[in-house]
Amino acid sequence: MSDILEKLTVCVERGKANKVSPYPPDLKGQDGADELTAEAIKKGISPDDILQKALVVGMSNIGQKFSEGKAFVPEMLMSAKAMKAAMVHLKPFFTSGEVKQKGTVVLGTIQGDLHDIGKNLVAMMVEGAGWKVIDLGVDVGFDKIEQILKDNPGTIVGLSALLTTTMVNMKTVVEKVKAMNPDNIVMIGGAPVTQDYCDEIGADFYSSDPQGAIDYLNGIAS
Amino acid sequence: MGRDFTIKLEPLGEKLRVKENTPLKDILFKYGIEFPCGGKGICGGCKIKMLDGDIPLNREHQQALNKLGLSPDIRLACRSIVTSDLTLEIDQFETFILADSSSFRFTPAEGFGIAIDLGTTTLVAQLLDLSTGHVLDAVTRLNPQAEFGADVISRIEYAIRNAGLSVLQNLIRESIAAMVNKLIFRHKVAVTKVVIVGNTVMQHIFSGLDLTPLSAYPFESKKKAFYSFSPEELKFHTEINAEVLFLPSLGSFVGSDILAGILATRLHQSKKYIALIDLGTNGEIVVGNKDKILCASTAAGPAFEGTNIRMGMRASTGAISSIRDNGDGIKFHVIGNEVPKGICGSGLIDAIAVFIKKDIIDVGGKIKDNTDHIELKPPVIISQRDIRELQLAKGAIAAGLQILLDQLEITHDQVESVYIAGAFGNFINIENTRRIGLIEFQEDKIHKMGNTALIGAKMSLFLDEEDIEPILAITDHVSLEMIPDFQDLFADKMMFE
């Protein structure tokens, strides 16, 4: 059992999505996250173990390297692809409630902004860390978030922006979320965002990389 | 002894006070004059034009001028010493701005016209005799808005946040007027038409249009609208009685510089499919034929221009501009043949292509021995991060092209010709762009075309709005970010396979 999970960890960390994927070159022709996850489920390994002992570890490893400047966006994107391939097999277990998740996070690229690669990476990492993720996509204003917060009070809100011109829209969303519930957590991130800006608009947390958000969320969950 | 003299620099409009006998080499470098041969008086790369005053010649300087076939009002800055007040024209940067001199087909017309390429960084204006199509003169300048940021997003931000639209508009209009007036003053001809092309943001600023729609999704531009101006409102020379036309944008961030590129490549007249790739920060791409044209901007980022690269620089003196491995060791070419200072976009592409071939970089882009950099010619290196930056840029272009092809339901093989435009495009090694997967077309289809914006602007001097409208009607803009699976395709196209 541990052999498969170890291999799966490597696949997620190194971005090996499936057997036909030529990347990374030294794993060419070997099973990827897709095949290994299917195999693990078939062998009766619990979806929770697959998530916690393989996917979470793999994403955390690559996230750590990214924070340290030892891995870069192209590698993160490949890991996200591998993660996605594994998640296809695990999704049914999440919806059935068989896998216990740590909480719910709603994520979106802020109103007016279309740049979603950073947000997608965070979504993968958060999901990989054992949280339920509601990804609202791009161009997300308060109107889209409001219903989710009504249905699931306490859902953590995460917003990203890549443009200085759209970052300003975060302020409005934070204000409106806080007006609904002053204790509702809002995390923000993206290239132009800073800790100062986070403080200025009254958001709860800022991180310059996805791993920081994971550490913060895990701190809340424990 | 030690008298002071005044040196005026055109077209910059700068005035300097310098001591007698100061070598021009010491003061002009920071105004864009470079010394490709290292100041040996060999290459002519540092030539300047005397508009007023005189720089005395010694025998060696005279011989150098004769050898290079330069006119009597030209001097080499590296051989020149200040002995009087001077007005100098320095347009060294023209070589990099690509003041194009290529020929094109046209129907002769009466009078004279001016074609202007209004770039984010540089401005070029050319005066044409419309009866012969000949370029009589050209002037170039740096875009004075650069003070408010190098890229279009920072200009938008300045315009919106600081209510700076009129500041930016005045700056650019003054520069364009000065360039036009200079051409008219020099040649005293009757200019009947002026055409300006530029990206969407430059068009909005010049025309005084609100930039807010371009600051956020859906990034709507005043597409497909012609803007015309009177010479008076632009403060052009009073004798000019011309129509001044800013050609329309194609949508979102794809501007009339790309429309001009379509004209230049004759894409809109071709039965077969043609692709145009502009390797700038916005990385605009166009694929189409006479029936349908799709365009997109890829936000390739500035890696090709040396930004975000540890030792990156533009293609100027001291840049490693090409790298070859002919089996007997790696050969580096450094612009100006001196000790290298950095690497430019073409050098970076070559470096990666060479090291992939030598199996030092793997197809995923990783340096194989796990070190964080590769040494080139000392002290220049490329870092692991540099390779990753280039992967993002090339992945964006290649994925964007794939999406346009998919939407047209054609393959790479069905594209007849591929034109590479832009300042950077002229220096690149086509074989290596293929090797790294930046441009995935057969080598014999790929052509470097230089400044297609300027070529197209010149061609449009001979056209009416009615000639251009059909192109607009068949051209659609594609928002790449809205394509499902863009991210996965983008990731795949980053690989070197």
Side-chain angles (χ1 to χ4, degrees):
Chain A
M1 145 174 164
S2 62
D3 185 41
I4 292 186
L5 293 186
E6 264 167 35
K7 277 187 186 164
L8 185 55
T9 306
V10 171
C11 286
V12 170
E13 181 181 341
R14 303 205 48 217
K16 175 80 176 165
N18 53 35
K19 193 168 183 170
V20 295
S21 165
Y23 179 83
D26 58 306
L27 299 181
K28 209 168 181 169
Q30 297 182 26
D31 283 345
D34 179 20
E35 292 84 5
L36 290 169
T37 309
E39 193 188 332
I41 292 169
K42 213 167 136 194
K43 285 198 170 161
I45 301 174
S46 85
D48 205 37
D49 278 353
I50 297 174
L51 180 69
Q52 298 299 340
K53 293 180 181 165
L55 306 188
V56 171
V57 182
M59 279 314 267
S60 168
N61 289 350
I62 186 72
Q64 197 62 43
K65 283 187 178 171
F66 185 78
S67 301
E68 291 166 5
K70 289 177 183 159
F72 306 92
V73 173
E75 290 135 298
M76 292 286 283
L77 287 173
M78 293 315 279
S79 285
K81 231 184 140 177
M83 178 80 192
K84 217 159 131 185
M87 281 306 222
V88 169
H89 300 283
L90 292 187
K91 275 271 163 67
F93 300 98
F94 290 142
T95 33
S96 71
E98 199 170 316
V99 176
K100 203 165 160 273
Q101 290 175 310
K102 293 174 182 166
T104 309
V105 179
V106 58
L107 292 172
T109 299
I110 196 67
Q111 195 160 23
D113 210 320
L114 283 187
H115 297 87
D116 63 350
I117 285 177
K119 182 266 297 166
N120 293 347
L121 289 175
V122 172
M124 272 298 161
M125 299 268 303
V126 173
E127 198 165 32
W131 292 73
K132 181 182 176 188
V133 171
I134 302 171
D135 188 344
L136 295 177
V138 297
D139 190 29
V140 174
F142 180 71
D143 52 328
K144 292 184 186 167
I145 296 170
E146 189 176 14
Q147 196 55 47
I148 288 167
L149 294 185
K150 276 182 184 160
D151 295 345
N152 314 281
T155 296
I156 294 168
V157 178
L159 301 168
S160 89
L162 200 79
L163 301 175
T164 43
T165 51
T166 59
M167 179 177 85
V168 291
N169 296 332
M170 286 177 159
K171 188 174 184 225
T172 322
V173 176
V174 171
E175 279 167 7
K176 289 184 176 168
V177 171
K178 294 291 180 186
M180 263 179 96
N181 172 7
D183 295 329
N184 204 115
I185 292 170
V186 185
M187 321 186 286
I188 60 172
V193 183
T194 60
Q195 185 62 52
D196 283 350
Y197 185 69
C198 175
D199 297 341
E200 184 190 320
I201 65 168
D204 298 280
F205 180 75
Y206 158 78
S207 170
S208 59
D209 60 67
Q211 192 58 39
I214 304 306
D215 295 343
Y216 175 72
L217 287 172
N218 287 341
I220 293 171
S222 63
Chain B
M1 284 290 103
R3 282 183 299 164
D4 282 359
F5 293 112
T6 301
I7 301 179
K8 273 196 266 179
L9 301 178
E10 297 294 340
L12 299 171
E14 293 275 348
K15 265 189 196 173
L16 314 172
R17 290 290 289 173
V18 301
K19 292 255 180 269
E20 188 171 14
N21 293 330
T22 301
L24 282 182
K25 193 184 176 195
D26 295 351
I27 52 175
L28 290 186
F29 181 73
K30 67 173 179 174
Y31 294 98
I33 291 280
E34 290 175 11
F35 301 89
C37 71
K40 299 188 191 76
I42 300 166
C43 71
C46 64
K47 68 174 191 277
I48 48 170
K49 193 169 179 180
M50 295 180 296
L51 300 178
D52 199 26
D54 190 45
I55 296 167
L57 288 168
N58 59 22
R59 223 184 84 205
E60 183 196 15
H61 197 164
Q62 181 68 64
Q63 281 173 346
L65 293 178
N66 292 348
K67 210 168 180 178
L68 293 161
L70 297 170
S71 63
D73 57 348
I74 299 290
R75 294 287 183 271
L76 300 181
C78 69
R79 305 277 100 182
S80 298
I81 291 194
V82 179
T83 57
S84 67
D85 288 339
L86 295 168
T87 302
L88 304 174
E89 181 176 283
I90 55 167
D91 48 13
Q92 158 73 19
F93 49 85
E94 227 168 293
T95 39
F96 302 114
I97 297 178
L98 292 171
D100 153 84
S101 59
S102 60
S103 57
F104 55 90
R105 275 184 283 167
F106 66 98
T107 314
E110 296 262 313
F112 296 82
I114 293 176
I116 299 170
D117 172 19
L118 198 176
T120 312
T121 314
T122 52
L123 315 171
V124 191
Q126 288 191 333
L127 176 68
L128 271 80
D129 181 338
L130 299 181
S131 64
T132 62
H134 288 152
V135 175
L136 301 179
D137 202 352
V139 286
T140 59
R141 275 195 178 205
L142 296 171
N143 188 328
Q145 297 167 350
E147 188 188 328
F148 302 99
D151 55 72
V152 292
I153 294 295
S154 51
R155 309 268 174 93
I156 293 175
E157 194 189 338
Y158 177 77
I160 294 173
R161 276 215 192 159
N162 308 51
L165 179 59
S166 63
V167 174
L168 296 178
Q169 185 187 26
N170 288 339
L171 277 175
I172 191 61
R173 285 193 172 192
E174 280 166 18
S175 281
I176 296 291
M179 293 167 79
V180 168
N181 291 339
K182 188 172 187 178
L183 289 172
I184 296 172
F185 178 75
R186 277 189 195 156
H187 295 269
K188 313 257 184 311
V189 293
V191 171
T192 52
K193 193 166 183 186
V194 179
V195 169
I196 310 175
V197 302
N199 66 50
T200 317
V201 177
M202 293 304 114
Q203 175 210 23
H204 276 58
I205 294 175
F206 186 87
S207 312
L209 303 169
D210 180 18
L211 282 165
T212 312
L214 274 171
S215 70
Y217 177 77
F219 300 103
E220 266 168 9
S221 56
K222 301 269 183 190
K223 62 179 174 185
K224 305 188 176 179
F226 289 85
Y227 285 88
S228 61
F229 309 87
S230 74
E232 292 76 32
E233 67 177 311
L234 297 176
K235 299 195 174 65
F236 284 4
H237 205 273
T238 44
E239 285 161 42
I240 182 174
N241 184 25
E243 178 197 29
V244 183
L245 200 61
F246 207 123
L247 294 189
S249 290
L250 296 174
S252 199
F253 285 107
V254 184
S256 54
D257 48 346
I258 302 302
L259 170 63
I262 291 174
L263 288 170
T265 55
R266 305 191 158 263
L267 198 147
H268 61 295
Q269 294 172 333
S270 169
K271 276 188 190 165
K272 303 243 172 92
Y273 284 100
I274 290 180
L276 168 66
I277 303 167
D278 189 332
L279 291 174
T281 306
N282 256 336
E284 294 96 340
I285 48 177
V286 184
V287 185
N289 62 10
K290 64 179 181 54
D291 300 316
K292 187 175 171 69
I293 299 173
L294 295 182
C295 64
S297 60
T298 65
F304 294 133
E305 287 154 356
T307 311
N308 291 350
I309 301 300
R310 171 126 48 130
M311 298 190 74
M313 60 187 289
R314 65 190 180 95
S316 58
T317 308
I320 294 178
S321 62
S322 87
I323 300 171
R324 280 175 193 282
D325 178 25
N326 299 327
D328 55 347
I330 298 176
K331 300 270 192 308
F332 297 91
H333 180 258
V334 182
I335 299 178
N337 256 333
E338 53 173 59
V339 177
K341 288 187 290 200
I343 185 163
C344 63
S346 56
L348 188 61
I349 289 175
D350 284 356
I352 290 171
V354 164
F355 292 125
I356 290 169
K357 198 179 172 200
K358 291 182 80 72
D359 214 22
I360 290 170
I361 297 175
D362 75 23
V363 296
K366 190 159 183 52
I367 301 172
K368 278 198 159 177
D369 63 5
N370 286 320
T371 53
D372 68 352
H373 70 277
I374 300 172
E375 285 187 21
L376 304 175
K377 190 169 179 172
V380 181
I381 59 153
I382 54 167
S383 68
Q384 179 67 64
R385 182 185 288 273
D386 296 341
I387 301 169
R388 298 303 183 193
E389 286 288 335
L390 182 104
Q391 284 182 281
L392 293 175
K394 83 110 184 170
I397 300 264
L401 270 168
Q402 184 69 57
I403 285 169
L404 295 194
L405 295 176
D406 289 350
Q407 300 228 327
L408 289 166
E409 298 180 343
I410 59 171
T411 64
H412 283 85
D413 289 342
Q414 282 165 272
V415 175
E416 177 85 348
S417 301
V418 180
Y419 294 97
I420 302 178
F424 158 80
N426 263 17
F427 296 100
I428 59 175
N429 175 320
I430 287 175
E431 192 187 334
N432 286 340
T433 65
R434 282 170 36 80
R435 186 167 288 150
I436 70 163
L438 166 61
I439 298 175
E440 304 169 292
F441 292 95
Q442 269 169 252
E443 192 168 345
D444 57 357
K445 289 181 179 177
I446 307 173
H447 313 280
K448 302 179 198 176
M449 203 165 168
N451 190 341
T452 53
L454 189 60
I455 298 170
K458 281 189 280 187
M459 292 169 82
S460 65
L461 286 173
F462 300 90
L463 303 173
D464 296 321
E465 288 186 24
E466 297 82 70
D467 298 317
I468 291 170
E469 267 155 9
I471 304 177
L472 303 176
I474 58 166
T475 304
D476 281 318
H477 175 264
V478 177
S479 281
L480 299 176
E481 301 88 345
M482 300 307 276
I483 304 290
D485 297 329
F486 174 73
Q487 183 177 314
D488 286 346
L489 183 61
F490 180 38
D492 286 340
K493 295 286 187 188
M494 282 178 199
M495 301 302 128
F496 295 123
E497 274 234 312

